[in-house]
Amino acid sequence: DAMVIQNPRYQVTQFGKPVTLSCSQTLNHNVMYWYQQKSSQAPKLLFHYYDKDFNNEADTPDNFQSRRPNTSFCFLDIRSPGLGDAAMYLCATSTASGSGANVLTFGAGSRLTVL
Amino acid sequence: GQNIDQPTEMTATEGAIVQINCTYQTSGFNGLFWYQQHAGEAPTFLSYNVLDGLEEKGRFSSFLSRSKGYSYLLLKELQMKDSASYLCAVKDSNYQLIWGAGTKLIIKP
C-alpha cells in the first residue's frame, strides 16, 4: 500500500542533544510538509517542499532545519532540542500546492520527548 | 489575524447524532477540510467543501456557508470508534492551510 512512513515513532532525547526525524513516501507526491503538534493544539506548519523548492514558515525557529534529498524522503533536524520542543512531529504529503483539494496524507507521527 | 474556532470538547451517546461546528475568519477562502484524529495518531481526511451546501459521505456529512464563514460536520449513528478529535482547516487566499485546535468528541455507551 502506498503510504507515508515516519521513523522513529518515539524519540527520547536529552536537552540540547540533536535529533533527526525521517519521513518517506511511496505516493509520489510533489509536496511534503513537516508539522509540529502539541497536545490539544492545532498542527503548526514548520516547513514544506514543493518538489525541491523549500518553504520555511516565518515563525519556524532556526533550531529546526529540514532536508529533502529526493522526492521520496524528507528529514527534520532539531539542532538543540529544548523542553518546549517536546511534541508530535507529523510528516504529510499532497499532490500539489495551490488550488484544488490537495488532501494531505499524514504519516503516523514521531513523538519527541525531551529530558 | 486568521482564526478558526471550534468547541474544545463535546460528548454524545452511541447511536445518536452530533454536529460539530467550525467558524472561520481567514484572508480569503479556497476550501475547507475536516480531518479525524484519534489520540496519539495522525489526522486522516474526512471531507472537503469548497462550494456552499452539504456533502454527504456515509455516516458523515459536512456543510459549508461561505457567506457566514461557517461549517459543520454531522456524524450520524455514532459508534464508539468515532471517539476522536475532529479538526477543521481552511485554505486561505495564499493556499495555506489554517488549522483549528480540534474538537474532542467523547462517545458514551
Side-chain angles (χ1 to χ4, degrees), chain A residues 15-94:
Chain A
F15 185 95
K17 187 172 181 182
V19 161
T20 295
L21 307 176
S22 74
C23 178
S24 65
Q25 57 127 341
T26 58
L27 297 162
N28 205 29
H29 284 173
N30 303 93
V31 193
M32 293 186 79
Y33 309 79
W34 278 107
Y35 282 91
Q36 178 194 64
Q37 188 180 29
K38 297 185 179 180
S39 181
S40 301
Q41 294 185 22
K44 178 182 184 299
L45 183 63
L46 298 174
F47 315 96
H48 76 277
Y49 285 88
Y50 190 120
D51 291 328
K52 289 193 173 182
D53 292 336
F54 174 71
N55 297 273
N56 186 26
E57 294 305 299
D59 58 354
T60 298
D62 291 340
N63 194 28
F64 292 85
Q65 303 285 317
S66 183
R67 297 169 281 138
R68 189 179 186 184
N70 56 56
T71 54
S72 299
F73 285 88
C74 199
F75 297 94
L76 175 64
D77 300 308
I78 308 175
R79 294 194 294 186
S80 182
L83 298 178
D85 297 327
M88 176 77 92
Y89 290 87
L90 295 166
C91 175
T93 70
S94 69

Side-chain angles (χ1 to χ4, degrees), chain A residues 35 37 40-43 45 57 88 90 98-104 106-108, chain B residues 30 33 35 37 40-45 48 87 91 95-97 99-102:
Chain A
Y35 282 91
Q37 188 180 29
S40 301
Q41 294 185 22
L45 183 63
E57 294 305 299
M88 176 77 92
L90 295 166
S99 62
N102 306 134
V103 172
L104 267 60
F106 284 89
Chain B
N30 280 296
F33 299 80
Y35 282 79
Q37 187 176 24
E41 299 182 14
T44 56
F45 170 75
Y48 172 68
L87 298 162
K91 191 181 287 188
Y95 303 107
Q96 300 299 310
L97 265 183
W99 291 85

